[in-house]
Amino acid sequence: MQDPLSLQSRANILAALRHNQPESSALPPLLYFPQAPAAELKEQFIRIATGIGSVVLTADTFEGAVELLQNTIKPGQKVLSTVPELSSDEFIYPGKDQDPHRYADLDIAIFKPLVAVAENSALWITDEQLITRALPFITQHIYMLVDISVLVADMHEASRITGLESQKYGFGTYIAGPSKTADIEQSLVLGAHGPRSMTIFLYGSGA
Amino acid sequence: MAIEAGKQTHSELAGGFNADEQRVDWHDETLWWIRQKRDKAAHGIPEWELLRETASQIKNNVLSGLAAYLENFEARALENGIKVHWAADAAAHNQIVYRILKEKEVTQLVKSKSMLTEECHLNTFLEEKGISVIDSDLGERIVQLAKEPPSHIVLPCIHKKKEEIGELFHEHLGTAAGESDPQVLTEAARQHLREVFLTSKAALTGVNFAIAETGEFVVCTNEGNADLGAHLADVHIASMGIEKIIPERAHLGVFLRLLTRSATGQPITTYSSHFKKPAPGQEIHLILVDNGRTEHMGREDFRASLKCIRCGACMNTCPVYRRSGGHSYHYTISGPIGAILAPNLDRKKYADLPFASTLCGSCSNVCPVKIDIHQQLYKWRQVIVQEGHADLAKKLSMKGMSLLLSSPSAYRIAGKSGRWLLRHAPFAMNNKFNPWYKQREMPAPPEQSFSEWYKKMKK
């Protein structure tokens, strides 16, 4: 804020706004909708995730999900896990390097989202878990280990939880499906700049 | 219309677009299909109208307290380690970007979608200074290679056929001649832009929402290009119009539910990234830009357009936009919302845009923040005519019509002679001087007027 031009602009903008902005208008009440039963949320989450190009596999337990996950990895694929339970040699390519450029040839990155949203299948992850912020974007494929207990109905509930004091982050993102574009004649292509696929391993009692 | 010399009006430019009827039909159908996807997504949410009303009220509150919200946002962002800059206009914005890049000795900037930098003409400015700018959104990259502006705020190359894109890629990215498969072309762009992401020291993104309560800002993309650019660079510059503020983090849910459903019918964008603090070793610069917005705030009839969240729903539904193409609006933001934003900046240059509408109101009906778009179009027309920016033909015909409509006998005579002319000398009406006949077949004139028929029936 040392730049005098910027300071001058700041003063002018704020003064002009105070002069021109309308009379105070009250904020509406925060929205909250009753959360549907877990089974319904799960059905909705899977339907929407599949609809936007994700693959969803279900297991009763975390161990079961890990088994499913291991079965989908092909020999020779470079895999990096950010999940503490998955830290054996096969999950730490190329080591836990902070320089994001090192991950340019990564095949699979694995994450454990903190919140999953049924209405749009968005999964919330933050840099508290990420080794480096570019990881979920630079990897060719993304794997998500989702505990069914983090599933909520909608973005109102998700915003509430991700905004709690206990949720510290410098960077956080909702990810819904593989990266995609329809910029060429509205033909949907998966794998625009980020991951070409997303596989969700949904686990927990009732999953 | 009173347009700068050498500049064509919306109707002239639309005339060019309309020369290719098949293309117009294709453009029209593509956008209508997106509108239908929007409807399907909206109808799937029982509380949709409550969401719209809530979003509208939140934005009304933002406008009424914007100065304080900006101060609060700035204070929180500074606490979080973000460097905040204020720009009075486009030139100031561009200078700030240039100064940051120069200080870091950056010669290549990778940019994700930002209508604000289009508004500021940042690319040309930086290129003149020897800094190359690469747009990383696929659609924006395509129009950049074609040396064209985006024709739609969400779908920048919606006007282009895949064969034309194939030719561009063949020339610039070395794809095979004649290749037009979207899958293949997208893969070529992916490879080309990966290299750009990995080698750029600075990235610029737009901002969808900035939260006053926490000082964080949210960027939404489907491709992941904003994140790849920002996280791989040492310096992340985010440019935002001052109206992008929302008060509290809890409000974000409302807007993230509305934005993409309104835009493309998706339940949410693939990525909704929240930038709060810079990563270790990185810098985040945030530029708050006015460029006419504070003045706009003072226009009571028009300030509601500052509520816009740039979803593009009003374009997709607009019968005029769909059949005239985004470039016919000759302004960064096309369609109905562009037509009410542009006159704030220059009423003379954009005097034609509020007339590029049927006032059917479909834009207002789909707007997720309930901007009274069609009413503002109507009000702008009155301001523009009063200020003398309407063209002579429109002024004369309006005067003529007002004379005619205020005198019943003149009206009857005019109707009679008009019908007679159409029957006996159609060329007097159907000629190149009468724009109503452009690309239109007119119905046959009736034998008699309604009042003649009514009189006869009463006898």
Side-chain angles (χ1 to χ4, degrees), chain B residues 28-288:
Chain B
D28 177 21
E29 283 159 20
T30 307
L31 287 153
W32 186 248
W33 179 62
I34 300 166
R35 155 75 208 259
Q36 287 173 316
K37 289 201 295 180
R38 173 257 171 220
D39 288 351
K40 212 176 146 205
H43 297 158
I45 306 286
E47 61 271 21
W48 183 257
E49 288 305 316
L50 176 61
L51 286 178
R52 285 180 72 217
E53 183 56 34
T54 304
S56 170
Q57 288 183 23
I58 295 170
K59 283 286 185 176
N60 285 339
N61 169 268
V62 169
L63 296 192
S64 74
L66 188 53
Y69 281 136
L70 282 167
E71 284 171 327
N72 209 46
F73 173 75
E74 181 194 37
R76 298 291 86 75
L78 289 171
E79 279 170 15
N80 293 337
I82 292 175
K83 295 180 196 303
V84 181
H85 310 261
W86 300 71
D89 53 24
H93 166 265
N94 294 349
Q95 277 298 340
I96 291 167
V97 175
Y98 176 60
R99 216 182 47 232
I100 297 166
L101 298 178
K102 204 177 153 207
E103 204 173 283
K104 303 280 170 196
E105 295 173 1
V106 168
T107 53
Q108 176 179 293
L109 178 71
V110 63
K111 202 179 102 195
S112 71
K113 205 185 280 166
S114 151
M115 294 317 294
L116 179 61
T117 58
E118 296 283 344
E119 179 186 318
C120 295
H121 302 290
L122 177 71
N123 289 22
T124 13
F125 170 83
L126 288 179
E127 268 148 23
E128 279 164 14
K129 302 268 186 195
I131 293 169
S132 70
V133 183
I134 295 149
D135 284 320
S136 59
D137 172 82
L138 178 60
E140 288 222 315
R141 185 67 184 137
I142 289 165
V143 292
Q144 188 181 32
L145 291 175
K147 298 189 167 59
E148 290 173 15
S151 68
H152 187 293
I153 57 173
V154 175
L155 319 156
C157 68
I158 192 74
H159 61 291
K160 282 220 172 303
K161 295 266 195 182
K162 60 184 183 208
E163 290 78 14
E164 296 164 324
I165 297 165
E167 269 174 47
L168 275 173
F169 278 27
H170 174 59
E171 187 190 330
H172 295 277
L173 306 183
T175 52
E179 181 62 68
S180 66
D181 177 19
Q183 188 88 39
V184 176
L185 296 177
T186 303
E187 181 63 28
R190 177 185 172 97
Q191 299 301 339
H192 153 66
L193 286 162
R194 272 258 152 170
E195 196 51 41
V196 175
F197 290 128
L198 287 166
T199 56
S200 294
K201 299 278 176 230
L204 190 146
T205 69
V207 169
N208 290 90
F209 307 101
I211 305 167
E213 177 195 11
T214 59
E216 70 198 291
F217 61 91
V218 179
V219 183
C220 304
T221 74
N222 280 318
E223 298 183 6
N225 56 315
D227 285 284
L228 271 173
H231 303 313
L232 286 168
D234 302 330
V235 182
H236 172 191
I237 304 171
S239 296
M240 63 174 266
I242 51 173
E243 80 280 19
K244 293 284 174 194
I245 292 278
I246 60 171
E248 296 165 27
R249 203 178 175 288
H251 295 135
L252 197 56
V254 176
F255 292 98
L256 290 180
R257 295 189 81 188
L258 286 166
L259 177 63
T260 328
R261 287 188 175 98
S262 298
T264 58
Q266 290 172 254
I268 191 169
T269 43
T270 306
Y271 305 104
S272 308
S273 289
H274 301 43
F275 294 85
K276 196 187 224 170
K277 296 173 183 169
Q282 289 186 320
E283 281 180 22
I284 298 180
H285 293 262
L286 187 114
I287 312 176
L288 293 159

Side-chain angles (χ1 to χ4, degrees), chain A residues 43-106:
Chain A
E43 182 278 322
Q44 188 186 19
F45 177 82
I46 295 175
R47 178 166 45 82
I48 290 180
T50 311
I52 60 176
S54 295
V55 174
V56 185
L57 302 173
T58 56
D60 289 333
T61 60
F62 178 74
E63 291 70 27
V66 170
E67 202 181 315
L68 286 173
L69 183 153
Q70 276 168 318
N71 290 339
T72 63
I73 297 173
K74 296 183 190 79
Q77 281 189 317
K78 296 164 184 149
V79 185
L80 178 64
S81 160
T82 65
V83 183
E85 294 92 327
L86 301 182
S87 56
S88 60
D89 287 353
E90 60 180 313
F91 296 121
I92 52 163
Y93 177 85
K96 299 202 169 178
D97 201 308
Q98 298 272 314
D99 178 7
H101 297 82
R102 289 287 303 280
Y103 299 104
D105 63 344
L106 186 68

Side-chain angles (χ1 to χ4, degrees), chain A residues 38 42 45-46 55-69 82-86 110-116 123 129 143-151 199-207:
Chain A
K42 180 194 155 195
F45 177 82
I46 295 175
V55 174
V56 185
L57 302 173
T58 56
D60 289 333
T61 60
F62 178 74
E63 291 70 27
V66 170
E67 202 181 315
L68 286 173
L69 183 153
T82 65
V83 183
E85 294 92 327
L86 301 182
I110 308 171
F111 304 92
K112 199 171 158 186
L114 303 169
V115 178
L123 301 169
Q129 319 153 260
Y143 283 8
M144 296 288 201
L145 277 162
V146 180
D147 185 336
I148 201 159
S149 67
V150 303
L151 191 55
T199 311
I200 299 169
F201 303 90
L202 186 64
Y203 66 90
S205 55

